[in-house]
Amino acid sequence: MPPLNRTRIVAAAIDLIEREGADAVSMRRIAADLEVGVMSLYNHVPNKSALLDAVSETILSEVEFTDDPAAPWTDRVRMQARAFRQIAHSHPRSTMVVVSRQLKSAAGMLPVERALSTLREAGFGEREAVQIFRVFIAYVIGSLLREVGVTPTFAPVHGAIRADDVDAELFPQIGALAPHLSECDHEAEFDFGLDLLIEAIAGRLAQRTT
């Protein structure tokens, strides 16, 4: 068995979160999963709160940005949103931990700094840049909830809506659009929504500069 260290402890926490959710995390449970004494964890992580902070920072540190400072801000925002979506898709439940924690480390703050810098360089004001950043995060998380589900409440819908199952008189639009409602290309849907957001925000900026 490899020696116990912070990296192993955080990896065990991420694995547990993805299997059972953040509520399942406790120092005792992590120790049991690693087959070590619970007190040995405290040599590397002081408490559960610090462990969840470490989970958040580890997830964010895996975000790979291919940022090009010379590219238009719209392209840069698009790349950043896709990068965050990719890591959120890989660790959906841990991503919920990320958005619930107050990040303090450089690894955790770097993606936020890059996103805010892109928006400020585009010409958005201080408060506006923060608001737009939060809109993008909300969109990515919302898309993630619909796509993969992180709780039974938000579980993805399975099964097609068939026109034959819909009362066309009561629900004429659902009946007519059933073939489209029954299929979903998550990648294409995400890009479509992202483009709508970027176009709307770019239009807002253009109105101020004309």
Side-chain angles (χ1 to χ4, degrees):
M1 181 180 295
L4 185 65
N5 54 39
R6 187 176 185 273
T7 300
R8 281 191 66 207
I9 295 170
V10 173
I14 292 173
D15 182 65
L16 177 59
I17 290 168
E18 293 305 321
R19 286 187 284 111
E20 301 181 25
D23 289 344
V25 174
S26 69
M27 300 299 273
R28 188 174 299 280
R29 177 63 188 276
I30 297 298
D33 286 354
L34 291 172
E35 299 180 345
V36 299
V38 65
M39 296 308 296
S40 64
L41 298 184
Y42 292 99
N43 294 322
H44 308 278
V45 182
N47 50 49
K48 176 181 174 179
S49 180
L51 178 56
L52 292 177
D53 284 343
V55 166
S56 298
E57 291 157 7
T58 298
I59 296 300
L60 278 178
S61 70
E62 294 180 10
V63 178
E64 295 183 2
F65 288 123
T66 54
D67 193 19
D68 179 5
W73 72 266
T74 52
D75 291 344
R76 296 175 67 192
V77 166
R78 187 176 286 104
M79 287 187 290
Q80 291 166 4
R82 286 173 177 164
F84 186 72
R85 175 185 180 268
Q86 183 59 48
I87 198 65
H89 191 269
S90 300
H91 304 287
R93 290 186 170 184
S94 295
T95 300
M96 298 300 107
V97 175
V98 170
V99 298
S100 71
R101 309 301 292 179
Q102 181 67 45
L103 300 174
K104 302 172 184 176
S105 73
M109 292 183 180
L110 182 58
V112 178
E113 175 68 20
R114 287 178 173 173
L116 291 174
S117 294
T118 299
L119 294 170
R120 293 288 285 134
E121 290 167 12
F124 295 104
E126 295 177 356
R127 179 170 177 76
E128 196 174 29
V130 171
Q131 291 174 319
I132 292 171
F133 169 73
R134 288 173 176 162
V135 166
F136 278 109
I137 293 298
Y139 173 68
V140 175
I141 297 301
S143 297
L144 179 72
L145 291 174
R146 184 191 63 176
E147 182 175 348
V148 300
V150 294
T151 68
T153 304
F154 293 104
V157 176
H158 297 286
I161 298 177
R162 300 186 306 171
D164 293 344
D165 296 334
V166 178
D167 187 327
E169 292 187 4
L170 287 176
F171 310 108
Q173 292 302 320
I174 295 176
L177 301 177
H180 302 289
L181 290 169
S182 67
E183 60 184 27
C184 181
D185 181 333
H186 293 299
E187 191 80 26
E189 295 271 336
F190 179 82
D191 286 341
F192 177 76
L194 183 60
D195 286 343
L196 285 181
L197 268 181
I198 292 174
E199 288 169 12
I201 293 168
R204 181 188 180 98
L205 183 62
Q207 286 178 356
R208 290 211 310 262
T209 57
T210 55

